[in-house]
Amino acid sequence: MELRHLRYFQAVAEELSFSRAARRLRIAQPALSRAVQEMERELGAQLIERERRSPRLTPAGTVLLHETGLILERLDDALRRVRRTAKGEEGELRLGYIGPPTRPFLARLLKEYGKRFPRVTVILEERTPERVWEMVSKGRLSVGLTRPVFAHDALGLQTLLLREEKFCAAVPLDHPWAKLTSLNWKKLAGEPLILLARREGAGSHDAIHASFEEAGFAPRVKHTPSLIGTVLQYVEAGAGIGIVPESTANKSLALIPLKPQQTIPLVMVWAKEGDDPAVLAFRDLVKEWLRAGELWG
């Protein structure tokens, strides 16, 4: 039995007239009558009583009309979902990100994405840079907002540079350096320093140590916590000077750009294969905002 037969039967059953149903379907009435007869032979049951002046559904026909309505409604819904998915209007987006660097734009970006694609389910995963790359490469995340990692070439992911962030010295607002507009790395020699643990961002950690080496001193590292928030808490408590990217804004601290300038990238990463429409739509939105200068407000 073909799908068109169900649509033919539905029209006849709803109109209770072969002529009106034929006009509704825009087909010849004899072809419509033959199609219904073929259905009856295939099902082994009479669906429509034709002896009367006006056709009437048999009990079997009443059941088929109800079931046909459900089948066609489910089919139409499925086709709409397929079309929406193909346009990126429905589906799932699993987004991996690192916290502070994405804070200036991520909430705004997701709000706009939700307005444009309200049927897409967004699942957020905050992870370390290394973990974001790993999960994207294994297909456990659709896209990532993260730092470059040493093994990124081997993972074979696509990348888009979002920003180059300057490293800054973080000090309390009452610190003698708080009003400075820049600070030489050499000034940090002998100072107690608070750095994010290397396991939480090897690229950032090693770039900072390279700057210490270029400045000609071995750093006095006092604490290496696992969270950037803990770095800031140590600084606020007067335990030392934090070395953080410029996106690590905090009203209780002053961030002083370090000279010579050392930067660390923030990138968007995704797999080369399998362009899911919902993911493609998110990447296009990021690129649109980046071109328009809206990503950083």
Side-chain angles (χ1 to χ4, degrees), residues 12 41 59 64 85 128 134 142 153 161-162 174 177 187 212 217-218 226-227 238 256 258 266 283:
V12 173
R41 283 196 297 271
L64 183 60
T85 299
T128 63
E134 178 191 348
S142 314
D153 288 335
L161 177 65
L162 302 180
D174 59 357
W177 294 350
K187 289 285 188 179
F212 292 149
F217 70 93
S226 298
L227 297 172
I256 311 160
L258 287 159
L266 179 69
R283 296 203 318 257

Side-chain angles (χ1 to χ4, degrees), residues 5 38 44 54 66 123 139 161 185 196 205 268:
H5 287 155
E38 288 172 8
S54 177
H66 174 72
I123 298 171
L161 177 65
W185 287 89
L196 192 66
H205 192 277
M268 179 169 65

Side-chain angles (χ1 to χ4, degrees), residues 51-67:
E51 291 79 10
R52 297 172 178 270
R53 193 171 189 177
S54 177
R56 187 174 69 177
L57 292 177
T58 65
T62 300
V63 171
L64 183 60
L65 177 60
H66 174 72
E67 297 299 326

